[in-house]
């Protein structure tokens, strides 16, 4: 595959996008765990979810 004189720019762009997407995925996983821990702490303190008591 011949990318011509812009090959370095193309490869660097792909690498940058890969790094950004990987960072976003890692952030989502970390934040999800943090939110789950915060929710668990609130439930230990007695806070209840609004949807937990809804019966239709």
């Amino acid at each position: 595959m011949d990318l011509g004189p812009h090959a370095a720019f193309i490869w660097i762009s792909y690498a940058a996008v890969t790094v950004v997407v990987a960072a976003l995925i890692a952030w989502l996983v970390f934040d999800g765990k943090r939110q789950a821990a915060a929710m668990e702490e609130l439930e230990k303190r007695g806070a209840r979810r609004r949807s937990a008591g809804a019966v239709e």
Side-chain angles (χ1 to χ4, degrees), residues 21-38:
V21 170
L24 287 171
I25 291 170
W27 175 58
L28 286 172
V29 170
F30 173 75
D31 190 53
K33 289 180 182 180
R34 189 177 63 84
Q35 292 293 330

Side-chain angles (χ1 to χ4, degrees), residues 8-32:
F9 174 77
I10 293 169
W11 286 112
I12 291 171
S13 297
Y14 275 117
V17 167
T18 301
V19 168
V20 168
V21 170
L24 287 171
I25 291 170
W27 175 58
L28 286 172
V29 170
F30 173 75
D31 190 53

